[in-house]
Amino acid sequence: MIILQKIGLGLVVTGIVLFTYLLTQGRYTVTEDALGVASSFHQESILDKAREAGVLNHTYHSSAAFLSDYKGVITAAQADLASSPVPDGIAEWDYKIGDWKVKEYLQSASRSCLSGPVKENPLKWLLLTIGLAILGGLLYILPAFSKIPGIKHDGIYHSSMKRGLKLPQRSFFLLATVIGVLWYGITYMSGQWFHSLHTLLIGALVVYLVYFRGEKTAAAPRSASPSAVAWLGIVTGTYLIGFYILLYWFPQYISPWIEMVDPVSRSISGNPASQWFLYGFLYTIIMLVMGVRMIAKYRHNRYQIIRTLSVVFFQTAFAFLLPEILARLNQPYYDFKNIWPLNYTFFFDWNLSTLMSSGGLGIFMLVWGIALVLIGVPVITYFYGKRWYCSWVCGCGGLAETLGDPYRQLSDKSLKAWKIERYTIHAVLVFAVVMTIGVLYTYFSGSSRLLFLDSNNLRTWYGFLIGSAFAGVVGTGFYPLMGNRMWCRFGCPLAAYLGLVQKFKSRFRITVNGGQCISCGNCSTYCEMGIDVRHYAQRGQDVVRSSCVGCGVCAAVCPRGVLRLENGSVDIDTRTEPLRTIHIRSDEVGIL
Amino acid sequence: MHTVIIGNGVSGITAARTLRKLSDQRITVISYETEHFFSRTALMYVYMGHMRFEDIKPYEDWFWEKNKIDLIKDRVTSIDFESKSLRLDATGELSYDSLILALGSKGNRFGWPGQDLQGVSGLYHVQDLERMEQHSPGLERAVVVGGGLIGIEMAEMFASRDIDVTFLVRETNYWNNVLPEEESQMISDHIREHHFDLRLGVNLGEIIDNGQGQVGGVVIKESGEKIPCGFVGLTPGVSPNIGWLKEGPLETNRGILVNAHLETNQPDVYAIGDCAEITEPRPGRRPIEAVWYTGRMMGETVAHTLAGNRTAYDPGIWFNSAKFLDIEYQVYGDVPARPGEEIGQYFWKGPDGRKSFRILFHKEHGHVTGFNLLGIRFRHEVCEKWLRDQTPVDQVMSNLALANFDPEFYRMHEEEIVAGYNAALGRQVRHRAKRNLNHVLKFLKSK
Ligand SMILES: Cc1cc2nc3c(=O)[nH]c(=O)nc-3n(C[C@H](O)[C@H](O)[C@H](O)COP(=O)(O)OP(=O)(O)OC[C@H]3O[C@@H](n4cnc5c(N)ncnc54)[C@H](O)[C@@H]3O)c2cc1C
Ligand code: SF4
């Protein structure tokens, strides 16, 4: 590693440490005009209680202390208003403080009461944290352009960051996550425990179907690593998981971060930053920097270069900038490339209402979104396979292909993993469809009951379990633990839909080059979707798998030029029939 | 029926798997090296940290039991062909009805002084890899002797861990006993580009003891120069691993002699893969071809025989591939380093010096006889069809893109190549084909 790279790495670490440290640098003071509460009844009552509790004008040095005291104040105000009579001419729900309002007030106060270094000079801190990390990242990455082009995988399994976890550690993280999510899910659903229970039962059913049914494939599970422990990977994974938990469920604790990107948000959309702006901003920056890395690594491979440019472009332009600009123009916030059911809120009442009340552009967005689902997906997938979306356009896929690339080898290739995948991804698709039907039913009929389901609860649970916990916490947090496409492979309902088209009617396949395969295993190892590519390659059978996202890395890493992604219609229904390494055809020999 | 296979390399395992598909007889595979089949060609990637050892096993461990293929990890020490039984080191006796010998190769040793010191190793077995691993910490320089495919892999392995490499090659250019001169020169340049200390046209004189029974350096025979190093990789080719069978009734030469049906001189005993020597090889083919693909084909062939359809071994049209550091290599058909008078050829080299194309053809009859490629991938089936059909070389050139197998969006060089071909040979070929899978499929189906 040359000295420049060491410095770069040092800067990245410094940037991240400072970034984390910022969370401890918030100062919070409750003052009369910094509550961020719209309703005057609420404002008054909260101020009263704050005064009583001695919270008013007190400066806190930790977000935890501030939030706990302030929560006490709001709940006291809530109780107070609940027991006092509603004044005439005011609706009850406007007068009282609903439970969900408590959350909202906490979050807005965490922004409006904030002072301290970030508030005073957000741009300085932006440069010192994210800026430093970008600089360091580039210093680390750019020297790779001077290397001889070719596969750069030396030492991956010697790296504490990339070698992945052993089975017990992996199980620990999985179990802890499942328990944590289901447990917190009870609180999230305001004490309703049966959502967690149903989910647990479905999970148990999958485990039963995969592990305890049918023929016994008894063998020691494949350990994910040689002897050493991937400490750096574990630390990184834990950090990412923590980040997502804060982002989704405790945004009131990260107001210094949000404050830091506030000027950026204002300059683009004119609006103050939210946690989602922070997320989109970081997401895009990370994809840009790690996209440079991807291009440096694969600079001999134009497929990889063009594909990387494509995902980075779609993230930057379509997912990040365009919606913000639309917001500036008072148009609906809309990501033109996000497709239902990945975009599960598309058919939610508020989205439909916004689109329908936003004139021609809104209607266009509505039609566009539906057309993508009904026509775009099947037609384009017929021509090019699901890769057109998953590894060329999609934001989740884009992050996986850039930030996640160093971890692609950690996907589990066992037959069991494939079995689990087929159950879970289709289960999520079913869940998304049922949830959406419920939501639409409610939208048209006005009743939230559909058979035995409550569509409001259903969609909240979907958002929590699939939208946040699976796609975010597991989807990205598990990159260094179990590979970069956990979400895409086991959870994404859109991937399931695209995959069905790819499997049953598409010109796409990975062609195997005659008998050239030496069964080395590079293709399988570096398949982020956990496809055992070698299984097909060594028998000379074209690879047609619903999960294949067409990233093209198997073809890139193959040392014998065996694999090629291609499209052809001539043999569309017999793509997998020829077995090109079979040397002796049984019809020639005439088997007994 | 009980078929016993000695050797769990690609040939033995292909035989076992194919036989299992064709029949339900009892199958036992014996090997002393590892319990499970692994890809020998991928050993280098384990050392380089691209994969773990588990990853180079093509089948999950449960596969064998599920397919009722019994595995024994032990060494066979002798065979009684009369009573059809084997003696194993630890397991004792085992009898067979049919026996397949798939013993593989071992690295050559030419009696160099010091070749048994600590820190000298070839690269063939898993144990060799373990030896390399064991000597790597703190190693500053390794000397690799022998300019073949395994030698360059060994050199690449050390380089991946920032260990300096001196590469001693007997030939005047890397592998120019097999590669034509231009390709050989390109690879030599590429080796130097990777900062290996490549010494051409030199032989190993002796390996020096550092005083503790370990390697301290090597002496070059021609110049007497001493190169200090902590490890010596010996890769001067391989030969059949049959030392223990030489004394018995089994007929052997360099390898185990087999006829066109892979049968040895002993009843119900067959030999396949690296260890088999074919008494009457097809024209243009060698009696021992120690490569992955032929082992696989032989394994398949012998399984058909054992399943009741006595099948002759047909090696098909020669093909092979390799990777020299960052340059991929493919060959289809007959591409000798120095072809005979009757063969004409055209060679094209890409501007970056890492790509080349060579086509060979019969001067008189005008049909194509071989392709040699560096840094460009060609489609096996298309090349094979051209070669089998003895397609006129002009026709091949005008359809060259049909064979292109490079990833999408790669720059294609067919136009340049054909222009160069026309200029060099005074032809008027127009390049017509587009790279398109539908065209390829139609071409392959055409008679
Ligand atoms: C580093 C390296 C790279 C290579 N790269 C390529 C390549 O890129 N392309 C290519 O075509 N070829 C390549 N080859 C050659 C290729 O690997 C061999 O041709 C092929 O593996 C031979 O297979 P086999 O089944 O005949 O024998 P092997 O794979 O050698 O298997 C023989 C097995 O028999 C067992 N055995 C032998 N004697 C006994 C006994 N007495 N008792 C019990 N067991 C016994 C041994 O344990 C051994 O495991 C490479 C070889 C090496 C070493
Ligand atoms: S297809 Fe290529 S990478 Fe995959 S096992 Fe075969 S030779 Fe190795």
Side-chain angles (χ1 to χ4, degrees):
Chain A
M1 196 164 33
I2 61 175
I3 188 84
L4 215 56
Q5 287 187 303
K6 285 192 182 158
I7 296 175
L9 211 53
L11 293 183
V12 173
V13 173
T14 315
I16 295 177
V17 169
L18 277 179
F19 180 73
T20 315
Y21 167 77
L22 273 192
L23 288 190
T24 65
Q25 291 307 294
R27 306 280 168 267
Y28 302 86
T29 320
V30 182
T31 61
E32 294 198 13
D33 36 37
L35 283 190
V37 173
S39 147
S40 57
F41 306 111
H42 297 178
Q43 163 101 359
E44 238 166 71
S45 172
I46 292 174
L47 275 180
D48 272 353
K49 296 292 165 196
R51 226 171 267 123
E52 269 170 36
V55 171
L56 198 65
N57 294 328
H58 177 78
T59 298
Y60 290 85
H61 287 254
S62 106
S63 55
F66 161 69
L67 287 165
S68 122
D69 282 8
Y70 190 63
K71 190 171 180 188
V73 167
I74 299 179
T75 34
Q78 186 186 28
D80 205 31
L81 289 178
S83 59
S84 60
V86 183
D88 286 344
I90 304 288
E92 188 174 342
W93 60 80
D94 274 346
Y95 185 70
K96 295 193 168 157
I97 303 181
D99 279 341
W100 60 278
K101 273 271 172 199
V102 176
K103 256 189 196 168
E104 187 187 307
Y105 285 168
L106 272 176
Q107 200 187 333
S108 62
S110 78
R111 295 288 311 286
S112 58
C113 299
L114 180 71
S115 61
V118 186
K119 183 89 179 184
E120 283 150 27
N121 203 340
L123 284 178
K124 176 177 116 189
W125 285 101
L126 188 62
L127 284 180
L128 274 178
T129 55
I130 316 281
L132 207 61
I134 296 176
L135 178 70
L138 290 178
L139 279 182
Y140 184 75
I141 290 163
L142 290 177
F145 280 103
S146 66
K147 290 192 186 154
I148 300 172
I151 295 305
K152 303 279 175 268
H153 284 164
D154 289 350
I156 282 191
Y157 277 105
H158 307 146
S159 149
S160 168
M161 183 63 133
K162 303 177 207 160
R163 67 156 54 95
L165 307 187
K166 285 185 264 185
L167 200 70
Q169 302 155 351
R170 217 163 76 172
S171 316
F172 166 77
F173 272 96
L174 269 181
L175 259 176
T177 308
V178 170
I179 294 173
V181 165
L182 295 185
W183 191 261
Y184 181 65
I186 301 177
T187 319
Y188 191 87
M189 298 301 286
S190 324
Q192 296 175 355
W193 45 265
F194 45 84
H195 300 283
S196 288
L197 185 66
H198 292 162
T199 309
L200 187 66
L201 288 178
I202 293 172
L205 181 66
V206 172
V207 170
Y208 165 76
L209 289 173
V210 173
Y211 285 88
F212 299 103
R213 195 194 50 137
E215 86 242 34
K216 257 225 159 327
T217 51
R222 302 207 305 167
S223 114
S225 161
S227 48
V229 176
W231 285 115
L232 279 180
I234 292 181
V235 169
T236 311
T238 313
Y239 188 91
L240 286 171
I241 292 173
F243 173 84
Y244 275 92
I245 292 177
L246 289 178
L247 177 77
Y248 283 128
W249 301 316
F250 303 97
Q252 63 270 30
Y253 289 88
I254 57 171
S255 41
W257 288 348
I258 305 176
E259 197 58 43
M260 190 167 72
V261 293
D262 199 62
V264 185
S265 174
R266 286 180 196 277
S267 72
I268 303 178
S269 69
N271 297 326
S274 65
Q275 88 244 47
W276 305 122
F277 180 84
L278 168 75
Y279 185 43
F281 176 76
L282 287 177
Y283 203 102
T284 308
I285 294 279
I286 287 175
M287 270 186 63
L288 281 165
V289 174
M290 292 301 278
V292 176
R293 172 189 171 280
M294 189 70 184
I295 290 173
K297 181 175 171 192
Y298 284 106
R299 69 198 179 91
H300 59 293
N301 189 316
R302 289 182 81 204
Y303 182 77
Q304 297 304 331
I305 294 174
I306 297 175
R307 190 175 67 80
T308 305
L309 291 175
S310 170
V311 279
V312 172
F313 166 77
F314 277 103
Q315 170 61 29
T316 316
F318 280 69
F320 181 59
L321 289 178
L322 194 57
E324 297 290 337
I325 293 171
L326 285 170
R328 167 157 237 147
L329 304 173
N330 282 323
Q331 296 293 342
Y333 187 98
Y334 187 71
D335 175 355
F336 281 90
K337 62 150 187 51
N338 202 356
I339 305 177
W340 180 90
L342 174 60
N343 180 9
Y344 62 93
T345 59
F346 185 78
F347 292 107
F348 282 11
D349 48 0
W350 50 261
N351 191 47
L352 294 180
S353 312
T354 315
L355 294 184
M356 291 208 261
S357 60
S358 303
L361 185 61
I363 299 295
F364 172 73
M365 289 168 174
L366 187 63
V367 174
W368 171 260
I370 295 173
L372 273 181
V373 180
L374 297 181
I375 304 167
V377 166
V379 170
I380 313 181
T381 308
Y382 166 81
F383 280 104
Y384 303 110
K386 85 196 234 189
R387 57 183 170 148
W388 77 270
Y389 194 73
C390 298
S391 64
W392 282 75
V393 173
C394 178
C396 307
L399 193 70
E401 295 292 344
T402 49
L403 177 65
D405 176 72
Y407 310 107
R408 57 171 58 250
Q409 67 280 0
L410 303 180
S411 59
D412 192 323
K413 280 47 169 213
S414 66
L415 191 63
K416 286 222 177 85
W418 184 18
K419 287 187 181 168
I420 295 178
E421 159 197 329
R422 280 181 296 185
Y423 285 115
T424 53
I425 194 167
H426 294 120
V428 175
L429 177 61
V430 171
F431 188 6
V433 171
V434 171
M435 183 273 289
T436 303
I437 292 175
V439 166
L440 282 176
Y441 175 79
T442 306
Y443 179 75
F444 288 113
S445 74
S447 146
S448 70
R449 282 253 141 226
L450 177 62
L451 304 176
F452 54 96
L453 300 167
D454 178 288
S455 78
N456 288 333
N457 279 339
L458 205 58
R459 80 182 215 189
T460 312
W461 185 240
Y462 186 94
F464 169 77
L465 185 74
I466 308 298
S468 306
F470 207 156
V473 176
V474 175
T476 307
F478 271 62
Y479 278 6
L481 309 177
M482 291 180 68
N484 57 334
R485 286 269 194 181
M486 282 289 277
W487 159 246
C488 314
R489 178 182 179 195
F490 293 97
C492 176
L494 179 57
Y497 173 26
L498 288 153
L500 289 172
V501 181
Q502 168 156 295
K503 171 113 196 176
F504 293 109
K505 206 76 188 174
S506 168
R507 306 185 323 148
F508 173 74
R509 86 291 305 278
I510 305 174
T511 306
V512 171
N513 197 11
Q516 287 279 23
C517 176
I518 52 168
S519 302
C520 71
N522 274 297
C523 52
S524 296
T525 303
Y526 288 92
C527 176
E528 55 190 355
M529 295 303 280
I531 300 173
D532 190 358
V533 184
R534 167 175 54 195
H535 166 82
Y536 304 89
Q538 65 191 359
R539 54 200 289 203
Q541 182 182 32
D542 287 359
V543 187
V544 174
R545 277 278 290 268
S546 51
S547 61
C548 174
V549 293
C551 69
V553 166
C554 57
V557 299
C558 173
R560 295 294 178 271
V562 178
L563 304 162
R564 178 162 201 270
L565 279 56
E566 42 189 7
N567 317 301
S569 55
V570 169
D571 60 345
I572 188 159
D573 294 319
T574 54
R575 284 173 292 169
T576 55
E577 276 172 22
L579 299 180
R580 301 195 190 93
T581 45
I582 301 271
H583 185 58
I584 298 164
R585 314 253 162 234
S586 35
D587 44 341
E588 282 168 31
V589 198
I591 293 197
L592 295 176
Chain B
M1 275 292 280
H2 181 202
T3 294
V4 174
I5 300 169
I6 311 180
N8 68 352
V10 63
S11 36
I13 288 301
T14 309
R17 282 182 39 250
T18 314
L19 187 57
R20 175 48 72 237
K21 262 189 221 137
L22 298 174
S23 99
D24 57 3
Q25 53 186 267
R26 182 174 159 213
I27 301 172
T28 304
V29 180
I30 309 170
S31 173
Y32 61 75
E33 188 180 3
T34 51
E35 187 174 350
H36 296 112
F37 172 47
F38 68 95
S39 176
R40 194 172 299 292
T41 52
L43 280 176
M44 62 183 295
Y45 299 111
V46 175
Y47 179 89
M48 301 198 330
H50 295 203
M51 288 188 271
R52 300 157 297 173
F53 187 73
E54 295 99 288
D55 299 322
I56 70 168
K57 291 197 271 185
Y59 302 94
E60 288 188 64
D61 292 350
W62 49 259
F63 178 89
W64 310 105
E65 197 187 314
K66 183 165 172 247
N67 287 286
K68 299 200 200 62
I69 294 172
D70 297 341
L71 303 179
I72 299 177
K73 183 170 185 285
D74 201 351
R75 183 189 293 271
V76 180
T77 50
S78 65
I79 307 174
D80 185 341
F81 295 103
E82 294 275 292
S83 65
K84 290 193 166 184
S85 73
L86 309 174
R87 173 147 285 287
L88 282 79
D89 217 7
T91 325
E93 299 247 328
L94 186 72
S95 61
Y96 65 84
D97 296 305
S98 312
L99 179 66
I100 301 175
L101 300 170
L103 307 171
S105 303
K106 61 173 179 21
N108 288 339
R109 289 284 186 281
F110 293 131
W112 286 297
Q115 68 181 19
D116 296 323
L117 290 170
Q118 286 278 315
V120 181
S121 178
L123 174 61
Y124 192 87
H125 293 106
V126 169
Q127 288 73 19
D128 298 331
L129 193 73
E130 283 161 6
R131 229 180 336 258
M132 282 178 73
E133 191 66 63
Q134 193 191 328
H135 282 89
S136 289
L139 184 60
E140 281 170 16
R141 176 170 296 276
V143 172
V144 177
V145 183
L149 291 172
I150 301 181
I152 196 170
E153 287 187 3
M154 240 180 157
E156 184 178 358
M157 289 159 79
F158 284 120
S160 80
R161 298 217 188 158
D162 297 323
I163 296 165
D164 290 335
V165 178
T166 299
F167 194 11
L168 304 187
V169 174
R170 193 176 54 180
E171 289 76 27
T172 51
N173 237 339
Y174 172 76
W175 216 34
N176 68 359
N177 50 338
V178 177
L179 286 180
E181 202 53 42
E182 288 88 350
E183 282 91 330
S184 167
Q185 182 64 47
M186 283 169 68
I187 302 302
S188 297
D189 292 346
H190 186 56
I191 293 172
R192 293 219 164 89
E193 184 177 36
H194 271 273
H195 306 296
F196 296 1
D197 173 20
L198 173 65
R199 311 285 184 96
L200 295 170
V202 296
N203 284 281
L204 174 64
E206 66 170 303
I207 303 171
I208 310 166
D209 191 334
N210 74 348
Q212 289 148 9
Q214 285 184 337
V215 169
V218 298
V219 175
I220 292 183
K221 192 169 171 187
E222 286 74 13
S223 61
E225 184 191 348
K226 216 177 115 179
I227 303 172
C229 67
F231 191 91
V232 177
L234 293 180
T235 63
V238 297
S239 46
N241 183 13
I242 57 164
W244 59 286
L245 286 168
K246 286 266 180 191
E247 300 305 314
L250 187 69
E251 204 186 341
T252 61
N253 178 34
R254 276 188 58 219
I256 301 167
L257 289 172
V258 293
N259 63 15
H261 288 84
L262 305 173
E263 294 153 347
T264 66
N265 71 331
Q266 298 297 316
D268 299 316
V269 179
Y270 304 81
I272 56 175
D274 279 20
C275 71
E277 176 171 346
I278 296 177
T279 41
E280 286 171 19
R282 309 223 163 172
R285 304 293 293 250
R286 283 165 292 137
I288 301 177
E289 290 178 331
V291 291
W292 186 262
Y293 314 108
T294 49
R296 196 174 60 197
M297 292 181 213
M298 289 188 196
E300 213 184 315
T301 308
V302 81
H304 280 274
T305 299
L306 286 179
N309 297 292
R310 189 158 173 268
T311 307
Y313 170 58
D314 168 10
I317 287 168
W318 172 255
F319 67 96
N320 199 2
S321 58
K323 193 172 180 188
F324 309 106
L325 302 164
D326 295 313
I327 300 184
E328 287 173 21
Y329 157 68
Q330 291 187 337
V331 54
Y332 298 101
D334 199 12
V335 183
R338 277 159 282 278
E341 278 296 300
E342 73 287 3
I343 297 297
Q345 42 179 321
Y346 169 68
F347 174 77
W348 172 89
K349 180 172 154 185
D352 63 354
R354 298 190 192 115
K355 281 182 180 181
S356 74
F357 163 87
R358 177 185 299 273
I359 189 165
L360 285 76
F361 52 90
H362 199 281
K363 278 185 190 157
E364 201 179 323
H365 303 139
H367 63 261
V368 62
T369 58
F371 299 90
N372 213 41
L373 301 140
L374 290 182
I376 301 178
R377 296 172 175 180
F378 262 28
R379 201 184 288 261
H380 188 172
E381 287 169 293
V382 171
C383 294
E384 199 173 66
K385 185 169 161 65
W386 279 333
L387 291 164
R388 188 180 300 119
D389 295 352
Q390 305 209 326
T391 312
V393 61
D394 282 2
Q395 195 179 323
V396 169
M397 291 305 285
S398 72
N399 289 299
L400 210 51
L402 278 188
N404 188 303
F405 201 71
D406 274 341
E408 291 156 299
F409 304 117
Y410 267 42
R411 255 194 204 97
M412 297 189 54
H413 303 283
E414 278 71 6
E415 298 286 343
E416 280 167 70
I417 293 175
V418 172
Y421 169 82
N422 285 338
L425 296 162
R427 306 286 173 96
Q428 308 272 306
V429 173
R430 277 200 38 225
H431 184 252
R432 294 183 287 123
K434 283 216 184 72
R435 183 172 66 174
N436 174 307
L437 179 60
N438 281 346
H439 295 182
V440 171
L441 292 170
K442 284 182 195 145
F443 167 71
L444 289 176
K445 277 209 197 93
S446 66
K447 280 286 162 217

